[in-house]
């Protein structure tokens, strides 16, 4: 479940622009170009609610060329001046009016709906949304392109989630459990599952199937085929990551977006929370 950018192909055609978002600079420029508040059109399906900070960190990591939210000492990369500048640039999309005003509270459902109903031009989402878009949008009006490249030429991509199978070490039926896992994970079954659910298969050979070379899913498959891809997901090892992305960061970023708190204070509060948790983890897991 990689991240990719859903785009309104028809909007690109209206401006006689190629249907691509090659770099993050292109992303921010297009956010502005596609915004026409008089027509209730906006550049970005912005996620200001739960887990929205993950999208911000995706860009921050690309901007500072990091595959982690932390440095080697367990300190948040948000302490870096260049990270703070990237944080500001990301949230300026909302503050500059290039996202719907109500998107300060948007979560998954709202940001997807904003794209489906023709309110926004660009949506950063995982491939399961392809099926929803196919059911609700006219063919030819939308597509999916790979995530933008950073200025070092690499794509810093977060995964949505990776599904896997496991058995308990205390299982009384290990042989049978393993047979089931083998069956579910076989190349042929994994290919069938991936095609049915619009996900990326776990086998490189399966990516050669024609299904992944055309249509919206090709935007994700293209990222996987890029040798310059950097997997830069959130620190899922932290017990309080859910609290951070689901509540703490939402409150802090919304204070900033509503101009109730400064950029400096917002970034410091986020960095302090993350650093405390990461350093505690490192101490417990030397």
């Amino acid at each position: 479940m990689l991240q990719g950018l859903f785009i309104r192909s028809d909007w690109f055609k209206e401006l006689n622009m190629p249907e691509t978002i090659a770099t993050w600079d292109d992303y921010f420029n297009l956010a502005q170009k596609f915004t026409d508040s008089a027509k209730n059109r906006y550049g970005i399906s912005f996620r200001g609610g739960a887990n929205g900070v993950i999208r911000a960190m995706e860009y921050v990591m690309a901007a500072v060329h990091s595959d982690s939210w932390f440095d080697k000492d367990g300190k948040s990369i948000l302490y870096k001046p260049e990270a703070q500048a990237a944080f500001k640039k990301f949230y300026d999309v909302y503050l500059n009016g290039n996202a719907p005003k109500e998107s300060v509270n948007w979560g998954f459902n709202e940001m997807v709906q904003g794209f489906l109903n023709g309110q926004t031009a660009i949506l950063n989402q995982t491939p399961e949304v392809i099926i929803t878009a196919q059911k609700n949008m006219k063919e030819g009006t939308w597509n999916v392109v790979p995530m933008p490249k950073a200025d070092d030429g690499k794509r810093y991509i977060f995964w949505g989630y990776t599904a896997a199978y496991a058995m308990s070490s205390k299982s009384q039926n290990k042989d049978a459990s393993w047979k089931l896992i083998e069956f579910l994970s076989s190349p042929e079954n994994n290919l069938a599952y991936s095609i049915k659910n619009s996900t990326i298969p776990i086998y490189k050979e399966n990516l050669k199937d024609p299904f992944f070379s055309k249509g919206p899913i090709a935007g994700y498959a293209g990222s996987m085929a890029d040798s310059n891809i950097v997997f830069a997901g959130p620190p899922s090892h932290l017990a309080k990551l859910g609290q951070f992305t689901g509540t703490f960061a939402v409150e802090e970023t919304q204070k900033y977006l509503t101009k109730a708190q400064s950029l400096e204070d917002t970034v410091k509060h986020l960095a302090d929370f993350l650093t405390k948790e990461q350093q505690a983890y490192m101490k417990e897991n030397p």
Side-chain angles (χ1 to χ4, degrees), residues 93-151:
V93 165
Y94 180 84
L95 291 172
N96 292 340
N98 300 142
K101 189 173 182 179
E102 64 271 23
S103 65
V104 69
N105 293 310
W106 279 7
F108 172 84
N109 291 329
E110 294 83 4
M111 67 188 302
V112 171
Q113 190 58 40
F115 180 78
L116 297 179
N117 66 20
Q119 194 177 11
T120 61
I122 302 169
L123 167 71
N124 182 350
Q125 264 304 335
T126 41
E128 83 278 13
V129 178
I130 289 175
I131 296 174
T132 305
Q134 288 171 334
K135 290 179 179 178
N136 293 278
M137 301 180 73
K138 291 183 179 180
E139 186 176 349
T141 63
W142 65 281
N143 202 358
V144 178
V145 297
M147 291 297 293
K149 289 186 176 182
D151 59 10

Side-chain angles (χ1 to χ4, degrees), residues 166-271:
M167 76 171 97
S168 169
S169 61
K170 297 181 180 179
S171 171
Q172 297 179 5
N173 299 285
K174 290 182 179 179
D175 289 342
S177 296
W178 181 246
K179 285 183 180 180
L180 176 60
I181 291 173
E182 278 189 312
F183 173 78
L184 294 171
S185 303
S186 68
E188 54 271 23
N189 285 334
N190 177 248
L191 177 60
Y193 178 91
S194 298
I195 291 175
K196 184 71 174 177
N197 291 281
S198 292
T199 54
I200 299 300
I202 59 177
Y203 297 99
K204 289 183 178 179
E205 193 66 23
N206 280 350
L207 272 177
K208 297 178 182 178
D209 187 273
F211 175 80
F212 300 101
S213 64
K214 58 188 177 182
I217 195 66
Y220 297 96
S223 292
M224 288 296 294
D226 190 342
S227 61
N228 286 318
I229 190 172
V230 177
F231 291 105
S236 55
H237 58 277
L238 297 182
K240 291 186 178 181
L241 179 64
Q243 177 186 339
F244 176 79
T245 62
T247 56
F248 183 82
V250 176
E251 294 170 358
E252 290 296 318
T253 54
Q254 288 185 348
K255 288 177 188 175
Y256 173 60
L257 292 173
T258 57
K259 301 182 180 180
Q261 182 170 268
S262 69
L263 170 70
E264 292 76 16
D265 285 347
T266 301
V267 174
K268 183 179 185 304
H269 295 168
L270 297 175

